[in-house]
Amino acid sequence: MPAQAAQPRVPVQDSEVVEVLRERPLSEQEKAWRALRAQARAHPADVKLATQVAWQALRWARQDGDPRWLGQAQAALAPWWSQPDPPDDVRLLRATILQSTHDFDAALRDLRALVQARPDLAQAWLTLASVLQVTGQYDEAQRACSALQAAGAPWHAQACALELRSLRGEADVAQRGLAVLVVRAPRELSGYINLIRAELAQRQGQPDQAAALYQSVLASEDDVYAQGAYADLLLDQGRAAAVVTLLKGHERNDALLLRLAQAYAATGDAELGRSVQALRARFAAAHERGDSVHRREEARFTLHLLKRPAEALKLAQLNWQVQKEPADARILLEAAQAAGQPEAADAARAFMRRWGWADKRLEAWL
């Protein structure tokens, strides 16, 4: 995480809400969390306790999308955070936090060093493959997927390789392979595989299949990423009211609040103004922290809710320099078209042609 992310922030106005205090007793889970943190604070040199705290904070960051959990994960690792060669568990956690804050170059340095020293560490290979895929480095990502097999994670190796094939001009082959894999793989991997299948079905122009798969994932997991992806599908289908039903109560998460605001805009809901104001404040706070994690979402906010295509295009171009997922290509293509500069998205078109991406949703802008 960038150093500036840890700087204190002082509210500009007394009326600014920084946090809403709890009005209920602590749950057993919250009590356990506080006890673990207290134990770690009492033994600051205990790397096992520190990594337990960090992993739990990461799990909750993934669950509710609140970036403050990432700060808590980093804080737990403070004694080792700046070490050039920290313990393996710390290095993996540090890379995962850096990945989550989109400091991909730093994450890759840690992950490459880790798999070189510990080629048996499957989670390191999986995270490495994920970062390489997100940043468009598909050849090295393929090697990382293959290494998962030798590291003792054959199901993840297959899913990883099939997802990559879906982005390299073999979407039909990948779709059939994933359908077989989800039947054969252990049940606990169903959500992971079905999420890949859902996104692929969306790119293949199969919205009903994608919706069913997203619903199956969300029926068994409270997954923020899947909620956002499903909301995008619903918005594309013109089902904004369903997005309100899906995401109402999840305003704490920036990405979900953005989709909720788009749904409010589509339905003429009176909550739109408040949501836009909240998003403005959150993006402004991110700028103050030097945080560019949500640049894709900010471009989308600027294009669809603020109606400023030229500004959105600049954000989308900056985002494309860092991330090269289908959603990144989409906002770049959309913003370029809306700004009257379709050629400004040529980098995305060239990348898609190079790798053979097929995405029905993007055809109107290609």
Side-chain angles (χ1 to χ4, degrees):
M1 178 176 286
Q4 57 267 44
Q7 296 300 311
R9 178 171 177 273
V10 179
V12 177
Q13 298 178 338
D14 291 342
S15 59
E16 183 176 343
V17 177
V18 177
E19 177 64 272
V20 178
L21 299 180
R22 178 174 27 81
E23 296 179 345
R24 55 176 173 73
L26 290 173
S27 67
E28 292 304 314
Q29 187 182 53
E30 289 165 337
K31 290 177 184 175
W33 167 244
R34 291 193 175 200
L36 178 62
R37 289 187 70 199
Q39 198 177 356
R41 282 196 296 270
H43 302 87
D46 190 326
V47 69
K48 185 176 179 183
L49 279 173
T51 54
Q52 282 182 301
V53 171
W55 277 123
Q56 183 57 58
L58 272 175
R59 279 192 286 273
W60 282 335
R62 289 169 178 159
Q63 182 176 306
D64 65 27
D66 188 336
R68 287 173 293 187
W69 288 117
L70 299 176
Q72 295 203 32
Q74 180 181 343
L77 304 178
W80 305 274
W81 185 262
S82 300
Q83 291 183 5
D85 190 19
D88 291 346
D89 287 350
V90 171
R91 178 164 259 170
L92 178 57
L93 274 160
R94 185 169 69 184
T96 307
I97 295 166
L98 290 167
Q99 174 201 21
S100 301
T101 56
H102 293 195
D103 190 349
F104 295 127
D105 289 342
L108 286 173
R109 280 195 296 274
D110 265 339
L111 291 165
R112 285 168 175 148
L114 192 53
V115 297
Q116 186 172 9
R118 289 283 311 278
D120 61 318
L121 206 53
Q123 184 58 55
W125 284 113
L126 188 61
T127 307
L128 177 60
S130 175
V131 176
L132 291 166
Q133 181 180 311
V134 166
T135 53
Q137 301 175 69
Y138 291 168
D139 288 336
E140 189 181 350
Q142 181 58 60
R143 292 193 289 274
C145 291
S146 301
L148 278 165
Q149 183 82 27
W155 302 112
H156 286 89
Q158 292 179 60
C160 180
L162 287 166
E163 184 174 20
L164 266 178
R165 292 181 75 173
S166 78
L167 295 167
R168 304 184 72 168
E170 295 184 273
D172 292 337
V173 173
Q175 199 163 32
R176 290 194 295 273
L178 287 163
V180 172
L181 182 63
V182 76
V183 174
R184 295 179 176 173
R187 183 180 294 273
E188 60 265 26
L189 296 182
S190 296
Y192 163 60
I193 298 169
N194 278 334
L195 184 54
I196 298 173
R197 295 177 68 205
E199 293 189 295
L200 176 53
Q202 226 176 326
R203 297 199 302 275
Q204 291 277 76
Q206 300 161 351
D208 292 342
Q209 184 178 344
L213 288 164
Y214 282 130
Q215 289 164 5
S216 75
V217 173
L218 292 172
S220 57
E221 300 177 23
D222 191 13
D223 186 293
V224 167
Y225 181 85
Q227 285 176 316
Y230 184 36
D232 285 344
L233 173 66
L234 294 172
L235 287 170
D236 282 345
Q237 292 180 311
R239 298 170 60 192
V243 174
V244 175
T245 301
L246 178 71
L247 300 184
K248 188 84 173 175
H250 295 275
E251 292 85 353
R252 189 181 177 97
N253 181 280
D254 297 349
L256 298 187
L257 177 61
L258 170 63
R259 288 154 175 83
L260 189 56
Q262 286 191 254
Y264 287 149
T267 56
D269 195 296
E271 286 293 322
L272 174 61
R274 187 179 304 179
S275 299
V276 168
Q277 186 179 8
L279 285 164
R280 279 182 191 272
R282 293 185 193 185
F283 289 130
H287 289 172
E288 287 182 17
R289 297 194 302 266
D291 177 353
S292 60
V293 171
H294 297 307
R295 195 168 273 154
R296 180 170 72 199
E297 282 72 22
E298 188 177 2
R300 185 167 159 175
F301 171 69
T302 305
L303 178 64
H304 294 293
L305 293 169
L306 299 186
K307 310 295 184 186
R308 297 175 183 166
E311 191 178 332
L313 175 57
K314 290 178 182 174
L315 290 164
Q317 287 174 311
L318 288 171
N319 177 64
W320 183 256
Q321 293 174 13
V322 180
Q323 291 194 105
K324 292 176 174 55
E325 293 188 282
D328 303 303
R330 175 172 179 164
I331 186 59
L332 179 55
L333 289 161
E334 281 183 306
Q337 187 71 32
Q341 303 175 52
E343 72 283 359
D346 282 349
R349 295 187 183 91
F351 184 85
M352 293 176 68
R353 283 195 299 272
R354 175 187 176 192
W355 294 110
W357 262 12
D359 191 329
K360 299 287 186 186
R361 299 168 302 173
L362 307 188
E363 288 180 351
W365 301 294
L366 295 177

